[in-house]
Amino acid sequence: MSEHYRGAVVREAHGPLSFEDIPLRDLTGDEVLIRVTACGLCHSDVHFMHGTSGTDFPYLVGHEVAGVVEALGPDATGVAPGESVVVAPMVACWDCKHCRSGRPEACASKLPRRPKVTLGDGAAATPVLGVGGLAERVIVPARQAIAIDPRVPPPIAALLGCGVPSGFGAAVNTAETGPADDVVVIGCGGVGIAAIAGAAYARARRIIAIDTNPGKLAVAERFGATHLIDASQEDPGERVRELTDGLGADVVLDAVGGPATFATADGLRAPGSRLVIVGAPKQGDVAEVPLRRLFLTGGSIRVSIWGDCVAARDLPLLARLYLEGRLPLDEYVSGTFGLTDAQEGYDRLLAGEALRSVVVP
């Protein structure tokens, strides 16, 4: 085993990615060492890289990780060396009052607080979302390493770490979409496409995709959207009312995040509907809610964090749906890159040219 591994580090807001040698420390407690076989490039990484989701630089980037278990700490259980795993960034503790009452999605400890990673020059780096997996190796608690069918290719398995469960779970778990529901998804990036797939899995009556990129709308249709709205060409509110007999949508999923799309989402709701915030807003974002209208129309506004997924239940489900041909995730991967070419993948993501780029170290 090498005494060092390479990882992607950003040392200041909007700074360049550097690929640095990181000393490989001994495992303690319930930790596991994972050899990374693929890491997806996610907008959440970019928020940290730009300083809009935190300023605790330097950051060790990457959190959408698939790999193979290499070694176990003295107290680690549940996985074995050689197993294919996906790193779940959020896992319920199963010991707090919320977990004991059957509400693991409300667990206050579901985002583990990982220790900082000591870089080669002695600087202490913050692992993004407690993972820091755009690297050749990653160390996480055993409960975050979820075993999956090894037949799932690593670039596909990596997607199960963040974007796919975030969107799929928002439709299935948070919104509790059902066959009678008309669903609107705002934003057809990686998370939005997965939300469309979740609504299709839940057999929603109508699934209306909204975006300004015709290419993304075409992908949305392949993942189950029944109606497409190019918001650069027509008014989404008018078209949604036309499609829903003037009522609006039963479920509106904002997969972008921020005041503008929140206002759009709120205007598309039917009485008694569920508006679900899926996309991450930036620090400082504020939205106004017309309280009288909210009171008169009823329904709810919900926040979906990682799709309210239960990792041990939902990640194997998503893997099975892929292997059964019911979740066409091969179309999700827009390109693969080597570790030191990761910046190109992020650039394509930000330019709207990629649904998901994946690094294969």
Side-chain angles (χ1 to χ4, degrees), residues 92-170:
C93 72
W94 298 109
D95 191 46
C96 67
K97 69 173 185 178
H98 297 299
C99 288
R100 290 196 302 268
S101 64
R103 298 180 60 237
E105 71 279 359
C107 175
S109 301
K110 68 180 179 181
L111 182 58
R113 291 175 173 83
R114 301 293 301 130
K116 292 196 174 186
V117 176
T118 301
L119 303 179
D121 64 356
T126 305
V128 165
L129 293 179
V131 180
L134 184 52
E136 295 172 329
R137 300 289 189 279
V138 67
I139 296 172
V140 296
R143 67 188 177 103
Q144 286 185 260
I146 308 300
I148 64 160
D149 194 314
R151 293 178 296 166
V152 179
I156 302 300
L159 305 178
L160 306 185
C162 181
V164 172
S166 293
F168 190 96

Side-chain angles (χ1 to χ4, degrees), residues 47 186-188 210-211 253-258 261 278-281:
H47 289 315
I186 300 174
C188 297
I210 301 176
D211 205 291
L253 298 151
D254 176 7
V256 178
T261 49
V278 190

Side-chain angles (χ1 to χ4, degrees), residues 39-326:
C39 181
L41 305 183
C42 178
H43 266 109
S44 295
D45 293 325
V46 176
H47 289 315
F48 284 96
M49 293 160 66
H50 289 178
T52 54
S53 279
T55 56
D56 196 11
F57 291 94
Y59 282 111
L60 182 58
V61 178
H63 63 281
E64 199 172 70
V65 176
V68 175
V69 175
E70 282 196 331
L72 306 179
D75 302 322
T77 60
V79 290
E83 277 195 292
S84 296
V85 296
V86 171
V87 176
M90 298 184 186
V91 182
C93 72
W94 298 109
D95 191 46
C96 67
K97 69 173 185 178
H98 297 299
C99 288
R100 290 196 302 268
S101 64
R103 298 180 60 237
E105 71 279 359
C107 175
S109 301
K110 68 180 179 181
L111 182 58
R113 291 175 173 83
R114 301 293 301 130
K116 292 196 174 186
V117 176
T118 301
L119 303 179
D121 64 356
T126 305
V128 165
L129 293 179
V131 180
L134 184 52
E136 295 172 329
R137 300 289 189 279
V138 67
I139 296 172
V140 296
R143 67 188 177 103
Q144 286 185 260
I146 308 300
I148 64 160
D149 194 314
R151 293 178 296 166
V152 179
I156 302 300
L159 305 178
L160 306 185
C162 181
V164 172
S166 293
F168 190 96
V172 175
N173 299 328
T174 313
E176 299 178 307
T177 300
D181 288 330
D182 290 329
V183 177
V184 166
V185 177
I186 300 174
C188 297
V191 172
I193 291 296
I196 288 166
Y201 172 79
R203 302 184 184 278
R205 183 171 66 161
R206 296 186 183 96
I207 304 170
I208 305 166
I210 301 176
D211 205 291
T212 58
N213 185 325
K216 290 184 178 181
L217 289 170
V219 177
E221 188 171 29
R222 294 197 290 274
F223 274 77
T226 59
H227 299 81
L228 310 175
I229 298 176
D230 185 338
S232 69
Q233 301 297 320
E234 59 182 327
D235 176 53
E238 182 177 327
R239 181 62 175 144
V240 167
R241 286 188 290 274
E242 177 184 322
L243 291 169
T244 58
D245 302 319
L247 295 174
D250 304 296
V251 173
V252 183
L253 298 151
D254 176 7
V256 178
T261 49
F262 177 85
T264 298
D266 187 49
L268 300 179
R269 297 193 305 116
S273 60
R274 290 92 76 198
L275 189 166
V276 179
I277 301 170
V278 190
K282 297 177 182 177
Q283 286 186 335
D285 277 352
V286 176
E288 294 186 358
V289 180
L291 293 179
R292 182 66 178 174
R293 179 179 176 276
L294 178 65
F295 178 79
L296 293 175
T297 56
S300 63
I301 298 174
R302 305 179 185 180
V303 176
S304 184
I305 304 294
W306 200 57
D308 288 329
C309 286
V310 176
R313 177 195 68 198
D314 293 326
L315 300 194
L317 167 66
L318 293 169
R320 187 175 74 248
L321 292 176
Y322 167 75
L323 291 171
E324 292 174 352
R326 299 167 61 190

